[in-house]
Structures are given as C-alpha cells and as structure tokens.
Amino acid sequence: SVTELSKALGMLPSKVSRMIRTLESEGFFERNLETGKYRLGIEFFELGMVYIFNFPLRKILRPHIEQMAKELNLTASWAILNNSKVIVVDRVQNLNIDLLTYRIGLNLPIHSTSLGKVLLAYLPEEEQNRILKSVNLTKFTSKNIVDENLIKENLKLIRERGYSTDEGETHEDLNCIAAPIRNGNGEVIAAINLMGEEERISAEKLFGFVDYLKEKALFISRQLGYKINF
C-alpha cells in the first residue's frame, strides 16, 4: 500500500502516491481495485526479458543447453552469481513438473542447489565465509546440509572433482549436477547444470553424465578464451 511504501522509503505518503501513479500509468505497477494495494506490473517483466535476451553469454550458452536437453532428454540450465544471489539466466525444460525455484530470473538457494554450490565453491574462502553467514541456510529436505563447516568441506570436494551435485537436497524428487564455466582469465563466471526427476532418472544414472557435462563446460570455457595450462 502507499502507506507501507512511504514508511519503507521514509517519504511522505503524498509524494509516494504521486510517484506510484506515474509508474502505474507507464505499466510498472498495477493497482488492485478492491484492496488499493500495488504489485509489480508487466513493464518490469519486459525489462527483465530485454536484459536476459541481450545478456552477452546467453548467445554462446543457449545452443549448448538446447543440445544437452535434446540429446539427454533432461532439463538444462545455466546461472550466474550476482551479489551473493544465484540467478537462473536461461533454461530448457524437460520436466513433468514446473519448479518455481528454477524459473528464469529467480534466485536459487546457494547452499543446496548444484548451480549454487559450484558457483560458491570457486570463490575465495573469505567470500565464501561472507556469503554463508549472510544467507539463510534453510533445511529444504532431509538430505541437504545446513551446517556451515560441513558445507565448506563439500565445497573443497567440488573444487577437487570439478562438479557439484544435488541429490534431492532442494526438492526430494529432483537430482542435479553442475559444472563451472570459466572466462579467459580462468575465473568461474557461470555454471551449467542438468536435472531430472527421480521417477524418470535415478541419481546414479544422472551422475553418469558428469564427464559429458564437464566436457561441455570446458568447451564453452574455451569459447570464452579459457586455456588449460599443463
């Protein structure tokens, strides 16, 4: 409501009301006629889609996730880390269920998802500590780890083997694997993953595609200028 917005912004209700009316006329906010409260409008969605479709990496990664999804009949996604938030930039879905968590543009839990864990694993230790202390380590299922020390141990393992997993840790019926994407400087700037429902593909069978995913991630990284030093 205007009252709630004015309190949150520390501004006079009259000023907030004028601003909201202007934004409403441009389609950035929509008003509920029954309650008088506002919600985000379609223009914010359009701006978000413009950003996604013009994101430089998307043109490179989109063909690869389309290929993976088609060849394996699995869902393929990629994400970036932005201000401690894991953002799904693009996804090709082959799921019977629609997972709100993995929708494009939404934040993923960094401590339980394969994409979040692999992006976190390649950060400097100080940055890892900062993020883990700043986020809510929610217990989604009986399998996901919320102990900070155990999470750090798992992050070391991810760096050693070059991929991460999510075996029913975020959703009980969903298994995932993810691998890092590097730029020309060797920095991890994104991650790609494969996911499938437990009833369609077991965790053991999905994890059999780890080498395939790592090779795909390396190929993309080389497209971005990454070179392996022997």
Side-chain angles (χ1 to χ4, degrees), residues 58-77:
R58 186 180 186 274
K59 294 180 180 180
I60 296 175
L61 271 76
R62 179 69 186 187
H64 292 293
I65 65 170
E66 286 180 343
Q67 181 187 23
M68 291 191 298
K70 183 178 181 180
E71 288 182 356
L72 305 178
N73 194 30
L74 295 169
T75 292
S77 310

Side-chain angles (χ1 to χ4, degrees), residues 37-198:
K37 292 187 176 183
Y38 292 88
R39 65 181 181 186
L40 296 181
I42 192 67
E43 285 300 318
F44 276 113
F45 173 76
E46 291 183 359
L47 283 177
M49 296 308 293
V50 168
Y51 176 82
I52 287 173
F53 282 102
N54 286 279
F55 195 81
L57 283 178
R58 186 180 186 274
K59 294 180 180 180
I60 296 175
L61 271 76
R62 179 69 186 187
H64 292 293
I65 65 170
E66 286 180 343
Q67 181 187 23
M68 291 191 298
K70 183 178 181 180
E71 288 182 356
L72 305 178
N73 194 30
L74 295 169
T75 292
S77 310
W78 71 278
I80 59 173
L81 186 65
N82 182 39
N83 295 327
S84 305
K85 296 179 180 179
V86 182
I87 310 295
V88 180
V89 181
D90 207 357
R91 181 180 73 161
V92 178
Q93 178 165 308
N94 279 314
L95 290 173
N96 292 325
I97 56 176
D98 186 27
L99 296 172
L100 178 63
T101 308
Y102 282 89
R103 287 183 182 173
I104 294 173
L106 292 191
N107 303 341
L108 296 182
I110 198 168
H111 67 294
S112 65
T113 59
S114 61
L115 287 167
K117 286 190 283 186
V118 82
L119 289 169
L120 183 61
Y122 288 90
L123 291 175
E125 187 175 356
E126 290 184 4
E127 184 67 3
Q128 288 180 1
N129 293 335
R130 184 192 68 78
I131 291 176
L132 288 174
K133 293 185 183 303
S134 67
V135 300
N136 184 13
L137 301 177
T138 303
K139 187 76 172 175
F140 296 109
T141 73
S142 60
K143 294 183 177 180
N144 84 283
I145 301 171
V146 294
D147 181 273
E148 191 173 321
N149 291 324
L150 293 178
I151 290 174
K152 290 178 183 178
E153 289 181 14
N154 184 242
L155 294 178
K156 292 179 181 178
L157 178 62
I158 291 170
R159 289 179 68 107
E160 290 172 2
R161 63 188 186 184
Y163 71 94
S164 64
T165 64
D166 175 355
E167 189 175 353
E169 297 168 51
T170 309
H171 298 274
E172 291 183 353
D173 57 350
L174 191 67
N175 299 312
C176 313
I177 52 176
I181 302 294
R182 300 176 183 271
N183 62 13
N185 296 322
E187 301 165 334
V188 174
I189 58 171
I192 57 172
N193 87 332
L194 292 168
M195 67 178 81
E197 295 158 279
E198 175 67 31

